[in-house]
Amino acid sequence: MGKFVKVGVFMNVWCVNLKDNRNELNIKDCQKKCELCFKEKILPIGWGYDVDGDLFTRALNTKDKYSYDTDEVDRFLNALNLFSKFENGDLVWVHNINDGNYYILQISDAKIRVSENQNYRDCDIAFYMLWNRMCCVGNHVDVNKYFDFRKIISRPVFQKRKNDDIKIITNKIFEEKIKE
């Protein structure tokens, strides 16, 4: 996947928190998940611990939410819907809560893949897509040199940034940093 995708001002800019929200604290491992995502060049979506379970199957196939945590099913379906809107060439702000740094990734293949790799599933990754280029912008103080870092904080799993200034500045930062 060494395919080069040209950066342009009209691409989408997204924000993502790379984290592990599983309730089972004994298996929660955000650091392992982040390391795997950067090493494998994947942008993930969670709920991987339940890919073979009822939440995943029922939510996708029957949308029968009556006996399930409807908020969790809704969060899952919303995240999957947003994930399907990513396009090749999109830039994604990723906040790695382990090291506190903000990264910009460029999506190289926006096809959504189902995690069949057990290492991915162990890190709570149900779906993923591929990216090919990444730059580290730094912590929130470094991001503040360009704009208020709060403009790229994502409350849900994914958020698309519609502000043209954020898109233009993100493109410039990415082009600058990728050359370093």
Side-chain angles (χ1 to χ4, degrees):
M1 286 288 137
K3 182 171 102 174
F4 175 77
V5 181
K6 182 157 178 53
V7 175
V9 182
F10 301 106
M11 69 188 40
N12 297 314
V13 172
W14 298 85
C15 300
V16 175
N17 280 318
L18 198 50
K19 58 188 174 184
D20 189 336
N21 269 347
R22 292 177 288 182
N23 292 328
E24 301 85 4
L25 295 177
N26 59 325
I27 61 170
K28 192 177 199 173
D29 191 345
C30 191
Q31 182 170 347
K32 182 178 176 184
K33 184 176 192 172
C34 292
E35 288 170 1
L36 179 70
C37 294
F38 288 156
K39 178 182 171 220
E40 299 285 324
K41 294 187 173 185
I42 62 171
L43 181 65
I45 186 173
W47 292 275
Y49 62 94
D50 202 35
V51 168
D52 293 324
D54 286 339
L55 173 67
F56 178 81
T57 305
R58 300 290 290 264
L60 280 184
N61 297 329
T62 67
K63 302 210 173 44
D64 174 10
K65 302 187 280 187
Y66 298 111
S67 61
Y68 298 92
D69 176 351
T70 56
D71 289 339
E72 185 69 9
V73 173
D74 287 344
R75 280 191 295 273
F76 167 69
L77 292 174
N78 183 52
L80 191 57
N81 178 50
L82 287 172
F83 206 47
S84 72
K85 296 179 191 240
F86 280 61
E87 298 175 18
N88 292 351
D90 283 358
L91 295 178
V92 184
W93 280 97
V94 175
H95 181 217
N96 179 339
I97 64 170
N98 286 315
D99 66 12
N101 285 325
Y102 291 84
Y103 298 82
I104 303 173
L105 313 177
Q106 185 176 45
I107 301 299
S108 61
D109 188 347
K111 176 186 173 200
I112 297 176
R113 293 160 170 80
V114 176
S115 296
E116 295 177 6
N117 180 322
Q118 191 59 47
N119 287 335
Y120 290 11
R121 302 277 283 289
D122 289 346
C123 288
D124 190 34
I125 299 170
F127 301 100
Y128 64 95
M129 63 182 59
L130 305 175
W131 55 269
N132 62 347
R133 301 192 305 162
M134 173 182 76
C135 66
C136 178
V137 179
N139 64 25
H140 72 280
V141 174
D142 298 312
V143 174
N144 278 339
K145 293 174 187 171
Y146 301 99
F147 50 75
D148 185 347
F149 82 98
R150 290 175 292 196
K151 292 182 178 183
I152 57 167
I153 292 176
S154 178
R155 299 264 185 276
V157 177
F158 303 111
Q159 271 188 322
K160 186 176 183 179
R161 290 295 174 244
K162 296 177 183 174
N163 180 312
D164 283 340
D165 289 343
I166 296 296
K167 290 161 77 170
I168 291 167
I169 294 168
T170 298
N171 275 275
K172 286 180 181 177
I173 295 168
F174 186 73
E175 282 302 317
E176 263 178 36
K177 297 282 186 182
I178 207 73
K179 291 176 185 175
E180 292 179 355

